[in-house]
Amino acid sequence: MQRTKSTTQITKSSIWMHPNFLVLFISGAMITFGNKIYELALPLILYQWTSSSVAMSTMRGIEFLPNLLLAMFIGVLVDRVRKKQWSLWAVLFQVIILFLLYFLSIRSEPSMVIFYIGGFLLMTCNYAVGNARVGMVKHTLPNEMLTSANASFNFITTLIGIMGPALTGLVLMMPRLQDSLFLTGLLFMIGFITLLFLRSVEIITPPKQQGFWRELHAGWVELRSNRLLWLITLTVIFLNSTSGMVDTTIIFFAKDTLKLANFELGLVLSAAGAGGLIGSFLLKPLRRRFDAGVIVTLTTLFVGFTYGMLYVAQSGIWLAAALFFNGLFETISTVSIWTFRQETTPHHLIGRISGITGSLFKLGMPFAIFAAGWISELANPTVVFGIAMLGNLAIFLCCRFSSLWVKRTPSR
């Protein structure tokens, strides 16, 4: 009881006084920073070798396959293991893959298949760490700290969104683009060392296991019984599809149509991070004023407007403005969904719910991304933006006339 009381006092005074939060924050910052670099660098390396939007979109699509194929199974496994150790092994494996890709690419131009496999494995480990991270936050921080913690995690994510692409733009000006992979490996090593200091309060002896499929079924039952989370999950399937199409096309559009230099591309992409940063500050007052379903519905409409801005963009400045507002509204929507999922999920099911929803969230993304690549190749990148805009408007109408749209419930 004394320990709980002390933790509550820390929560009320400052989230930055909580040692577990600091470890999660710093390690997450290093890993997110590295992810931001290699997620942008891998498609650009292939573009440098092939000058093909299809090769870029294929890499992006393959990176999302682990979420589609493995997420729900990873969720069950995460509920069975100690999440700290699980994360450490996954991060270490990513370091090995990154250094391997780096050394192979500086010796010669390896087959694209090697990069596709490397991207798949990197994102598999990335999802494994992300899923375990949701559980670690749930287990190591009190409930009343979750919104502030997620907002803070998103703050650093969006701050890195500002710095990461700009840094990548500088890396792209170097003689060897592959140096970004080596830099990412170093950042992951820092995150690995920091995570060693996390004080986990998970139960050392796990409860009796019921069998893999029964445990997975229990997660499905919990998800379906949470009606609002289920409706949000169905909505996010389509939202992520339109978002994936746009995210994949932006780099090709900026390079092929607007003819932006690498450094200019980095600065333009950082505008999305700047918008997300502001969205982080707006999140708490919006959560107090609106229910999660209403926030998801409204931001769906506003994100659709930003796709319309991309459709008519004719310059780097206009592109940056569209990405700024896109980052702002997507941040508000995404963090609200994350927090709602954590708040309404029991501790012992958090891994499975995160895995199942994570898999469903990405259900349509690989197909949408592949389609976006071929549309850009055969037609025009702006067509992708127009399709995404119409898609979001249709999703908004479905949400507006569903049970997601409820009355305001101001909290006091």
Side-chain angles (χ1 to χ4, degrees):
M1 291 295 293
Q2 186 63 33
R3 183 178 178 181
T4 304
K5 182 179 180 180
S6 176
T7 302
T8 303
Q9 289 174 346
I10 291 176
T11 303
K12 290 182 177 180
S13 61
S14 174
I15 192 174
W16 298 97
M17 298 292 291
H18 200 292
N20 280 336
F21 169 79
L22 292 176
V23 170
L24 290 170
F25 185 84
I26 296 171
S27 62
M30 295 297 102
I31 294 172
T32 302
F33 200 176
N35 284 336
K36 184 62 66 174
I37 295 176
Y38 87 72
E39 286 175 7
L40 183 59
L42 286 177
L44 283 173
I45 289 173
L46 294 184
Y47 179 78
Q48 185 183 65
W49 290 345
T50 65
S51 299
S52 170
S53 65
V54 175
M56 293 178 63
S57 64
T58 300
M59 172 58 77
R60 291 288 293 163
I62 287 175
E63 288 176 350
F64 285 108
L65 285 179
N67 293 71
L68 175 62
L69 302 176
L70 304 175
M72 64 178 66
F73 304 110
I74 290 175
V76 175
L77 294 176
V78 167
D79 279 337
R80 291 183 169 192
V81 300
R82 296 183 179 181
K83 296 166 185 59
K84 175 182 174 180
Q85 282 74 14
W86 171 277
S87 300
L88 289 171
W89 279 110
V91 173
L92 183 60
F93 190 51
Q94 285 178 297
V95 172
I96 295 173
I97 295 172
L98 286 164
F99 286 156
L100 181 61
L101 289 178
Y102 169 73
F103 288 114
L104 287 175
S105 61
I106 62 174
R107 290 178 177 271
S108 63
E109 185 176 306
S111 169
M112 288 193 298
V113 175
I114 295 178
F115 265 72
Y116 291 151
I117 294 174
F120 179 85
L121 293 175
L122 284 171
M123 292 306 296
T124 299
C125 292
N126 183 47
Y127 183 79
V129 174
N131 188 299
R133 183 182 182 81
V134 173
M136 286 190 292
V137 171
K138 180 79 172 177
H139 283 288
T140 60
L141 300 177
N143 259 1
E144 59 269 23
M145 189 183 285
L146 291 180
T147 297
S148 297
N150 282 316
S152 298
F153 294 147
N154 186 74
F155 175 87
I156 194 62
T157 299
T158 51
L159 181 60
I160 290 170
I162 296 173
M163 298 167 55
L167 177 60
T168 305
L170 293 174
V171 171
L172 294 176
M173 298 175 67
M174 294 179 165
R176 296 187 307 189
L177 178 59
Q178 296 87 339
D179 289 343
S180 58
L181 301 178
F182 186 80
L183 175 61
T184 304
L186 293 178
L187 291 171
F188 277 23
M189 288 183 66
I190 297 174
F192 173 86
I193 294 171
T194 305
L195 195 57
L196 291 171
F197 295 94
L198 181 69
R199 297 178 180 177
S200 177
V201 294
E202 293 181 73
I203 300 175
I204 298 178
T205 304
K208 183 178 180 181
Q209 296 174 3
Q210 303 173 351
F212 183 90
W213 297 109
R214 287 187 178 181
E215 292 177 29
L216 181 60
H217 180 260
W220 272 103
V221 171
E222 174 65 26
L223 176 61
R224 292 303 304 272
S225 66
N226 189 338
R227 178 169 175 76
L228 183 55
L229 181 59
W230 174 247
L231 290 176
I232 288 176
T233 299
L234 295 178
T235 302
V236 174
I237 293 174
F238 298 98
L239 289 179
N240 277 347
S241 296
T242 57
S243 176
M245 293 177 67
V246 171
D247 290 345
T248 301
T249 307
I250 284 173
I251 294 177
F252 182 75
F253 175 70
K255 298 286 291 182
D256 191 71
T257 303
L258 300 183
K259 307 297 182 183
L260 297 184
N262 289 329
F263 182 70
E264 293 174 318
L265 174 60
L267 293 178
V268 167
L269 291 175
S270 68
L277 195 63
I278 294 178
S280 296
F281 291 114
L282 298 176
L283 183 62
K284 288 189 70 175
L286 287 174
R287 280 297 311 276
R288 287 195 296 264
R289 188 173 180 83
F290 298 101
D291 286 334
V294 175
I295 292 177
V296 172
T297 301
L298 290 176
T299 52
T300 295
L301 176 64
F302 296 145
V303 168
F305 288 156
T306 67
Y307 295 158
M309 295 175 64
L310 291 172
Y311 180 78
V312 299
Q314 298 293 325
S315 66
I317 295 177
W318 189 257
L319 178 63
L323 292 178
F324 172 85
F325 288 110
N326 181 268
L328 188 152
F329 296 124
E330 282 202 342
T331 294
I332 294 173
S333 176
T334 300
V335 179
S336 295
I337 293 168
W338 289 347
T339 304
F340 181 81
R341 181 175 62 181
Q342 287 177 322
E343 290 174 341
T344 59
T345 300
H347 282 78
H348 69 286
L349 291 172
I350 187 65
R352 274 164 279 182
I353 295 298
S354 298
I356 294 171
T357 55
S359 185
L360 293 175
F361 284 172
K362 304 297 189 299
L363 188 62
M365 288 189 73
F367 310 103
I369 290 172
F370 287 134
W374 282 106
I375 292 172
S376 298
E377 188 85 7
L378 301 176
N380 192 293
T382 56
V383 175
V384 175
F385 301 144
I387 293 174
M389 176 187 67
L390 295 177
N392 265 53
L393 292 179
I395 298 168
F396 163 75
L397 291 175
C398 292
C399 293
R400 177 60 182 83
F401 296 102
S402 73
S403 55
L404 286 181
W405 186 267
V406 295
K407 295 181 180 181
R408 297 177 186 173
T409 55
S411 59
R412 305 192 186 281

